[in-house]
Amino acid sequence: MGSLSIWHWLIIAALFVMFFGAKRLPDAARGLGRSLRIFKSEVSQMQNESGSQQAAPQQQAAEPTQQLPAAAPQQAQATEQKTQSKSL
């Protein structure tokens, strides 16, 4: 008595066809399938983003910091002379 028999399922299917019509049922099923696909892709995208945010601090710690090379003394003197000549 607790489970649904084949007759129960047939009656439920007949009621769906009567209420919604045979023409609208495939469209409704198609729309439901699209909605589930969109939901599934959004959930996986959220999981990927949360995983990348957790891995980002570890990657930053593993990467060595890059230091800029010191400016050559000749370049520094040349730019200093240019700024002095412009100010005069």
Side-chain angles (χ1 to χ4, degrees):
M1 196 76 199
S3 65
L4 296 176
S5 68
I6 187 72
W7 293 107
H8 292 113
W9 287 111
L10 287 175
I11 292 171
I12 291 170
L15 289 174
F16 270 102
V17 171
M18 284 176 43
F19 286 132
F20 298 109
K23 194 173 187 179
R24 292 183 70 189
L25 283 177
D27 293 335
R30 194 173 303 117
L32 180 65
R34 286 181 187 157
S35 299
L36 288 175
R37 265 185 258 123
I38 291 169
F39 180 74
K40 184 179 176 181
S41 67
E42 292 294 324
V43 167
S44 65
Q45 193 175 38
M46 285 175 48
Q47 288 175 345
N48 289 341
E49 287 176 359
S50 67
S52 66
Q53 288 176 354
Q54 291 174 353
Q58 294 172 354
Q59 288 176 352
Q60 289 176 353
E63 293 177 4
T65 57
Q66 295 180 353
Q67 295 179 353
L68 297 174
Q74 294 173 351
Q75 290 176 346
Q77 289 175 356
T79 55
E80 189 175 307
Q81 289 175 353
K82 287 180 186 176
T83 56
Q84 287 177 356
S85 64
K86 288 181 184 179
S87 63
L88 293 174

